[in-house]
Each structure stands twice: as structure tokens, then as C-alpha cells.
Amino acid sequence: MKNRNKIDISNFDLEKMKEKTTDNPGLLPYAHQAGSAIIRPEDKGKITGRAVSAMHSQTDMQMSQIYQQMQLLADQAKLIQKRLEVSERIYEASIGFEPLINHHYFLYEKEDGSDFMSMIAPEEWGRKGSFATFIAEVNLLADHTWDIIRKGE
């Protein structure tokens, strides 16, 4: 039998081999054995780029939410402004009764340009209406402003 498979230990320099090993392999910046996990240095620019991209994405989402909230507030302010304008027009109109909260009434404009309130809907007037233009059906709110239920033609 030949000595092909025998390893000759006398050819190894154990001191030189010891230099290639470590007592704390977890602290090495590279794999210390052939079967170890691959350790690659991180590209710091790539990490920073991902972080900046995530930051922009998050802040864009938050800015969009704030914009939607601002849009909602602006729409609410416009509705309040419209209620105020209609309320002022109604209080300048001729009203022959005391309006009650949460009841529907009808605002009309006469041919002479003056406004009046009525409890009669435009479809209830019959053939001969005593108004020139139906302006709006309104509801008296608790704060004594008027909400427009429907607008006239």
C-alpha cells in the first residue's frame, strides 16, 4: 500500500499557521473558515441613499395628509361662508312668520328684486306663483344660520 493519503506533519510550521487563526473569530471583518458565512463590506453610500429615500417617502406621505386636512378645513370654511351669505340675505328678506329651528323654509325673489321667505315650496304654489325666482330651500340651524337644502334653478 502506498502512503498517498498520509499527511506528513513535519512539513507544517505550526507557529506560522497560528498567525492565520484568531481567538475571537467573531471580530474579524471577513470569514475565518471556508464554511463561514460570507461577510461583505457595506456600501455606505447605498445605505445613506436608502435612508434618505425612505425619509423623503415618509415626509411626502405626511405632507400629503396635512394637505388633505388643510383642503378639508378650506372646504368647511367655504361652506360656513356660504351659510353666512345666505343667512344675511334671509335676514334682510321679508319674513311674515317666526322661523323655527330645524324647519325647512323657502327663499324667493320677487320681480322687483326684493326677497321674501315662505313656508310654501315652489311646487305647491300652483299655476299662479307670487314670486319671480325660487332661490333656495333652507333649514334654520341652532346657531341661527341657514343651511341650504337645495338651490333654485
Side-chain angles (χ1 to χ4, degrees):
M1 198 180 246
K2 295 183 182 177
N3 286 340
R4 263 197 261 171
N5 296 336
K6 256 189 171 180
I7 298 174
D8 186 12
I9 299 179
S10 62
N11 290 336
F12 291 115
D13 184 1
L14 294 178
E15 287 301 315
K16 195 169 190 174
M17 287 182 76
K18 190 173 182 179
E19 290 176 8
K20 295 180 182 180
T21 62
T22 181
D23 293 334
N24 298 316
L27 299 178
L28 293 175
Y30 53 86
H32 75 288
Q33 293 180 359
S36 295
I38 297 172
I39 299 172
R40 292 189 178 114
E42 284 292 329
D43 181 358
K44 300 223 188 260
K46 190 186 289 183
I47 293 171
T48 303
R50 279 192 219 128
V52 168
S53 176
M55 176 195 64
H56 281 287
S57 175
Q58 182 68 21
T59 54
D60 287 348
M61 183 181 71
Q62 290 173 336
M63 291 298 284
S64 176
Q65 289 173 342
I66 290 171
Y67 176 76
Q68 289 172 354
Q69 292 170 353
M70 287 172 30
Q71 189 64 45
L72 177 65
L73 290 173
D75 291 344
Q76 289 175 340
K78 287 177 187 174
L79 286 174
I80 291 171
Q81 183 63 35
K82 283 182 184 178
R83 273 192 9 226
L84 178 65
E85 290 169 3
V86 167
S87 298
E88 286 176 344
R89 184 169 181 178
I90 289 171
Y91 286 122
E92 291 175 2
S94 171
I95 303 175
F97 55 91
E98 182 181 348
L100 300 174
I101 293 172
N102 211 20
H103 283 73
H104 290 215
Y105 300 102
F106 303 90
L107 180 63
Y108 298 98
E109 183 178 333
K110 293 181 184 177
E111 291 190 21
D112 66 1
S114 63
D115 294 337
F116 74 97
M117 287 283 289
S118 176
M119 291 185 262
I120 302 171
E123 26 321 310
E124 297 172 342
W125 281 97
R127 283 189 233 158
K128 194 173 184 186
S130 64
F131 63 92
T133 309
F134 167 63
I135 298 171
E137 179 179 354
V138 293
N139 180 32
L140 181 59
L141 300 176
D143 64 356
H144 287 270
T145 61
W146 296 83
D147 189 24
I148 299 174
I149 305 303
R150 68 176 164 140
K151 288 187 175 188
E153 292 100 37

